[in-house]
Every structure is written in structure tokens, then in C-alpha cells.
Amino acid sequence: MKKFVNDVDSLLQEALQGLAAAHADVLQLHLEPTFVSRKVHAKKKVALISGGGAGHEPLHCGFIGKGMLDAACPGQVFTSPTPDQMLAAAESVGSGQGVLFIVKNYAGDVMNFQMAAEMMGQPCATVLVNDDVAVERSTHTTGRRGVAGTLMVEKLVGAAAEMGASLDQCKALGDRVNSRTASMGVAFTSCTVPAAGRPTFDIAEDEMEFGVGIHGEPGRRRGKVRPAQELVDELMAAILGDLKPAAGTEVLLHVNGFGGTPLIEQYLLYHCAQQVLEKQGLKIARSLVGNYTTALEMAGASLTVTLLDEEMKSLWDAPVHTASLRW
Amino acid sequence: MNTQDIVSAVEAVKAAILANEEHIESLDRAIGDGDHFINVRRGSEAIVAMKNELLQHPPAEAFKRIGMKLLSTIGGASGPLIGSFFISMGRELEGFPEPNAKQFAAALAAGVDAIKSRGKADVGEKTMLDVLIPTSRLLVRMAGEGSDRETLCAKLKQEAEFNMLATRDMIATKGRAHFLGERALGHIDPGAKTSQVAVFAVCDMLTEGAVR
């Protein structure tokens, strides 16, 4: 493992100190328990709190700020945060209008946020994000994972909360965005969790993991690497098969890099995906390309499609001022 | 059993888990996401570090403090599951300053029930419960029969080992491995392995005669 590390055990804290210092105009770091909040707390609004294991930067801490999250609770790398962090964050940023937890559908995240919600002294609700179509719906599993589509939920609900939407309205919007969002990814290499010191999975030079998770969890299958257009065709077939959009629908297309894939390849993927969407009679009304929901240095990318309506378009366009997303 | 015994058991479990690092990590890399060992180690180190604080309390309170500490230290899915386990054990032992084998067995069963309801899981789903449920049931039954400690521990170890190995042939329907479907076949569940290691460590400690 070759990584910039002083001490594996203090990596997260040192990284958070760097993040907070680099974006001191936006962010404030709190320790014991650990959470990051807006530098200037918004007045009287529903507080949006997300969180999850570290290693997916800029998710979630990079999306704290005006028009998006009020606080985020980072756990250890790929390990969900704990209820005391969430309670402290809610205590700090809550303004009496209720707290909305935005949670990716992983057993650990779900249970820790659930325990925090049970211990909370103020009204709260949870939006569970489960956009990963690589995990097929089944009564035998805890369901699909929450991956890059989480950003769409955080951005759109963040904008609504900033404009004064109530807790119920934020919750309903979050659920709606989630149900209109689907993602799937493919990886060429594994990531290495710093504390583990070696790759999470072994993969041959000419192989890829199709439907990979953002922690390097195996996906639908392992196969030989094929041309990008063929991969995109297959990813899009799964995504659109799930969303079943009517022809003419406007969509948001998000190409997300996992951390080890350069932008030139991500833009190529965008181009390929655009062909597929246009062929299906869908119109890309908004787009986002870059490393937003990463898996450390894993080479690979995911595609996310969100079906838009007028309200969602205007919420997407609403001003946002965070470390990693701003317009 | 008193709080000193609990602390000794925690130390024994920590040592056993560290000794099995290689094996647990390789299982987790195969069907998990590679952080199970690190999380369990972080949790057990935090408990050993609070040993002096724990020793000032009866078992009920000690278990509750262990649970809360794990809840705020481990994270992941293990944090709420193992945290709930100890908190429920503590609740069950209230009013028993020196619980006997039967009371302890009942508390352990309550702890295992807490894992079941928090994780919405049961036997046969390729998780730690595949070891914990049958082993705690056996303990309740044998403690009720008044078995001697050596026989009891030998049987418990046998039960834990057998059920840990049985997870190899299961399709996971809970836990991180459930995303894998049939691809998890042939791999022992890391949580079941850790549980078996913990059962062995506690049984070995008990039969070495350190506990009244």
C-alpha cells in the first residue's frame, strides 16, 4: 500500500482537520464526537444531516453548506458513524423545525441512524437512499444500496429546506427523488482501505467487476473488460429498465468517478451514455460529471439517472455553496 | 460471576480475536468489505481500556457501559448489534449483583434476542446469529440442568464450531454478504467466525478455573 499517511489510526481526524481548514469559510469541525457542520448555522429551517463511512469524499462533508446539508457525520473509512455523533450534530444544527436524516441503505448506516432517531429529543424523519440497481429487489435481502444518487437527494432536498419546506415536505421530496433515481457502477481495480493495508479484492488486469458497490463490494458478476460503449449500454439497460421513463422525459445524467478514473474517461462515458439516452427519446436537461461519490482510489465509475420535473429542475438550479458543489 | 470475570472474559476475547486476525480478515475480504476485524479490534480495545471504570460497578451496570461504549466506538453494523447485545444483557441482570450460571444464561439469551430484533435477522441467514442463537440456547438448557463446567464448555465449543462451519454452505440474506447472492457460497461468514472465536475464548477461560 502506498498512501499519504502519518498514522493509520489518526488519518480520518487529520483529513477532517485539513478539510475544515481548507474550507474555513464554509465548514466547522467538531471533535468528540466527530461531526462537521456549517460554519454559519442557517436560521429556522429543517436541519439536513447525512453521514456515512469516510472514503467516499467529497460525499458527505463536501456537501455541507448553503443549499445543501447542515451537518455530516463521518465514520471511520467505510464504517458507518455512531449514534452519539448524529445526536451531537442534531443538537448543534437543529433549529426547532425538525431534523431530516439522509441515509444510504446499508445495514450499519440504517441501524446507527435508527438508534439515533430513537434517542432524539426533537422531531425527525429519515430518507433512505437506495438507488443502486445492481442489487435486484428481493424479499430476501435488505435491499438495494445507496450510492451516487445520494447527491441528488441531498442537493434537491437541500434546496427545498433552504427555501423553507417543512419536515414532512422534505421527507416526501427526498423519497420522491430517490424513487426517480437509479445508479449502477463498474470497477476495474480494487481500493485499499488504509487500515487494512491491502486491496479489498483481487482482480485480473483484463477483468472488471460489474455492478460493484462503493466499498468495493462485488456486484452482479465479474467479466472481461469490454469497450466503454458496451459497458454503458449494459449499465443503462439496467438503470432505464428500473426507472422505465416515458419517452420525452427530461433527465439528469450524473457520471461519477470512483477515485481512480481520470476525467477524460468520465467524459467519454458521458458521451456514450448520451447516445443511449437520446436513442431512447430522453432529454438530458441537467448533468454532473466528476468524482463525487468515490471509493478511495478504485478505478471505475457509476452512472446515475434522475427523472426530472419542473420543480426538481428549479431545485437543482437553486444556489448551492459547499466545499465541493457550488453555483 | 462478578465484574472481574466479565473483564477477564473481555480480555480473553480480545486476545483471541487478535490471534485470529489473518483468518477473520481473509473471510471478510472474500465476502465482506474488509473492515470487520478492524472494527471488532477497535471495540475490544476500547473496553479493555475502560477496565478500571467497569470494576467499580456490578455486572448489570458494567454490561450497560460496555454496550454504550461499543455503540459509540465501533460504528458499522457491528456497533448497534453488539452494543444492543451488551445493553440488553445489562438490563436483564439488574438486581443480580453476582449472577449464577442460570441467570447469566438468561441474560445472554436476552442479548442475542436484541441482536435479532435490531438486525431483523435469524438463524440461517449467514451471520453471527448462526453461532450465537444455537450456542445461547444450549447454554440456557444446560445451565438449567446444572451441568458441570467442563462438560458445558466442551459442548458449547462444539456447538459454536459446528454452526460456524455451517455458514459456509449458506446463501446470505442479511449482512454485507447478501449482495453477493450465490457468490458467497463456500465462504464462512466472518461474523460467525468472530463469534465462534469469542465463545472459545470465554469457554477456555472458564475451564482454566479463573471464574467462580
Side-chain angles (χ1 to χ4, degrees), chain A residues 152 232 236 239 250-256 269-275 277 283-289 302-306 308 316:
Chain A
M152 281 69 223
V232 169
M236 273 299 176
I239 290 168
E250 292 191 311
V251 304
L252 185 159
L253 173 61
H254 173 33
V255 174
N256 172 58
L269 291 173
Y270 185 92
H271 173 70
C272 296
Q274 187 184 7
Q275 315 292 311
L277 289 169
K283 181 173 174 256
I284 302 178
R286 300 290 183 273
S287 57
L288 185 70
V289 179
S302 62
L303 301 179
T304 299
V305 173
T306 300
L308 297 171
W316 181 259

Side-chain angles (χ1 to χ4, degrees), chain A residues 76 78-80 82 84 106 108 111-112 114-115 118 135 140-143 145 195 198-199 209 218-219 221, chain B residues 22 25 29 33 35 38-39 42 71-72 74-77 80-81 84 118 120 173-174 176 178-180 183:
Chain A
Q76 293 295 319
F78 292 177
T79 299
S80 55
T82 57
D84 55 317
Y106 285 93
M111 283 190 271
N112 282 286
Q114 220 169 44
M115 290 190 85
E118 287 167 15
V135 182
H140 297 301
T141 72
T142 48
R145 304 173 283 220
R198 55 181 147 189
E209 184 69 40
R221 62 180 174 78
Chain B
E22 193 65 27
E25 283 222 304
R29 269 201 310 280
D33 59 358
D35 64 356
I38 302 158
N39 292 338
R42 191 170 56 244
L71 189 60
S72 61
I74 300 188
L81 294 173
S84 303
R118 176 64 60 193
K120 298 188 181 67
T173 46
K174 286 279 157 37
R176 193 52 67 79
H178 85 260
F179 297 124
L180 284 154
R183 291 173 75 180

Side-chain angles (χ1 to χ4, degrees), chain B residues 1 6 9-10 13 59-60 63 66 81-94 96 99-117 128-129 131-143 152-153 156-157 159-160 195-196 198-200 202-203 206:
Chain B
M1 185 194 67
I6 298 171
V10 168
V13 169
F63 275 127
I66 290 174
L81 294 173
I82 305 178
S84 303
F85 170 78
F86 283 107
I87 293 168
S88 292
M89 277 188 82
R91 215 174 279 147
E92 197 67 20
L93 286 175
E94 265 168 40
F96 302 117
N100 61 28
K102 234 172 127 173
Q103 290 156 347
F104 178 77
L108 190 83
V112 172
D113 268 345
I115 299 181
K116 276 175 68 174
S117 54
M128 62 172 138
L129 286 170
V131 168
L132 295 178
I133 290 176
T135 310
S136 81
R137 276 188 192 145
L138 182 68
L139 176 65
V140 169
R141 201 167 66 234
M142 292 189 69
L152 178 71
C153 286
L156 288 176
K157 284 172 69 172
E159 187 76 13
S195 305
Q196 174 261 319
V199 171
F200 271 49
V202 175
C203 286
L206 285 169

Side-chain angles (χ1 to χ4, degrees), chain A residues 234-297:
Chain A
E234 197 173 339
L235 292 174
M236 273 299 176
I239 290 168
L240 297 178
D242 180 78
L243 291 174
K244 299 186 178 60
T249 305
E250 292 191 311
V251 304
L252 185 159
L253 173 61
H254 173 33
V255 174
N256 172 58
F258 285 144
T261 287
L263 278 172
I264 183 172
E265 294 172 38
Q266 293 178 36
Y267 280 114
L268 174 145
L269 291 173
Y270 185 92
H271 173 70
C272 296
Q274 187 184 7
Q275 315 292 311
V276 179
L277 289 169
E278 281 171 3
K279 232 179 274 172
Q280 302 270 328
L282 302 166
K283 181 173 174 256
I284 302 178
R286 300 290 183 273
S287 57
L288 185 70
V289 179
N291 302 316
Y292 290 99
T293 304
T294 59
L296 298 171
E297 76 281 32

